[in-house]
């Protein structure tokens, strides 16, 4: 079990223990049956910690039955749940993931929860990634926008992706004090890559 997955399982263990369900948690963690994990996602009345544990474990296994649950968790109000979902979705290997992450990243009604979809798009390097990050960053460049972490994640992601279509928005981001240094670095990375193409 890698460090990220250990962080998720430790957090969910604490949640289960707080609700008096530590034995149920240990059983779910110990199961190696994908069908049993998928059953947790379908069963009524399951606590959120159990659904998250089952979905993350299925995602890591590459079982696409976890997709819908993971997308819901990616858009959750609790950042650790979003991070866990992004981790699992990156390993799931479902071609729908980038489209779902792009839809979440560009949804202005849910922009407060866009950080992890933006980071996931960067990791996926899918065709949807750069266009979604460009749109999201353009919207964050308005005066007094409160979502600086999302803007910074977009800037860093566009630099990592190296897509020349990002040059105009990264140039505009250079004029914003909180983004200027990261935007200049990202612009340099994109420009070097564009010249090498």
């Amino acid at each position: 079990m890698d460090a990220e997955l250990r962080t998720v399982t430790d957090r969910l263990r604490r949640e289960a223990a707080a609700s008096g369900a530590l034995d149920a948690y240990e059983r779910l963690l110990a199961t190696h049956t994908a069908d049993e994990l998928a059953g947790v996602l379908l069963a009524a009345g399951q606590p959120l910690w159990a659904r998250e544990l089952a979905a993350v474990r299925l995602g890591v296994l590459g079982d696409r039955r976890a997709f819908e649950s993971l997308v819901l968790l990616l858009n959750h109000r609790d950042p650790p749940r979003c991070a866990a979902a992004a981790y699992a979705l990156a390993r799931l290997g479902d071609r729908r993931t980038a489209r779902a992450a792009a839809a979440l990243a560009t949804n202005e009604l849910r922009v407060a929860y866009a950080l992890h979809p933006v980071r996931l798009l960067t990791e996926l390097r899918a065709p949807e990634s750069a266009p979604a990050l460009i749109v999201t960053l353009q919207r964050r460049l308005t005066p007094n926008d409160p979502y600086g972490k999302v803007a910074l994640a977009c800037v860093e992601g566009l630099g990592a992706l190296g897509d020349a279509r990002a040059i105009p928005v990264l140039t505009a981001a250079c004029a914003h004090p909180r983004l200027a240094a990261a935007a200049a670095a990202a612009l340099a990375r994109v420009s070097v890559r564009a010249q090498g193409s």
Side-chain angles (χ1 to χ4, degrees), residues 7-176:
T7 299
V8 174
T9 56
D10 287 350
R11 174 176 52 81
L12 296 178
R13 184 180 199 281
R14 289 190 300 273
E15 288 183 27
S19 65
L22 193 53
D23 288 344
Y25 166 85
E26 296 294 351
R27 280 194 304 274
L28 189 56
L29 184 65
T31 188
H32 294 290
T33 307
D35 286 343
E36 187 176 340
L37 293 169
V40 171
L41 300 180
L42 297 173
Q46 291 294 320
L48 184 55
W49 66 261
R51 291 184 183 281
E52 182 180 350
L53 181 59
V56 168
R57 290 201 56 215
L58 283 170
V60 170
L61 292 172
D63 191 313
R64 293 182 179 170
R65 290 177 287 184
F67 176 77
E68 288 83 6
S69 295
L70 290 172
V71 169
L72 287 173
L73 289 167
L74 183 63
N75 195 33
H76 198 275
R77 68 182 176 274
D78 185 8
R81 294 199 200 285
C82 301
Y87 167 84
L89 282 164
R91 285 147 187 80
L92 180 60
D94 192 308
R95 57 191 167 91
R96 299 172 292 172
T97 299
R99 194 175 17 204
L104 293 175
T106 58
N107 182 346
E108 278 298 290
L109 297 177
R110 302 290 293 175
V111 69
Y113 311 110
L115 180 62
H116 291 287
V118 164
R119 289 179 177 164
L120 177 59
L121 285 165
T122 301
E123 185 175 354
L124 293 174
R125 296 181 168 272
E128 297 89 346
S129 296
L133 268 58
I134 289 167
V135 167
T136 303
L137 180 56
Q138 284 171 334
R139 293 172 179 168
R140 304 286 61 83
L141 297 181
T142 58
N144 304 314
D145 183 83
Y147 304 108
K149 287 183 180 180
V150 174
L152 183 58
C154 289
V155 166
E156 292 170 346
L158 289 168
L161 294 172
D163 192 309
R165 293 174 292 179
I167 291 174
V169 73
L170 289 173
T171 301
C174 286
H176 290 257

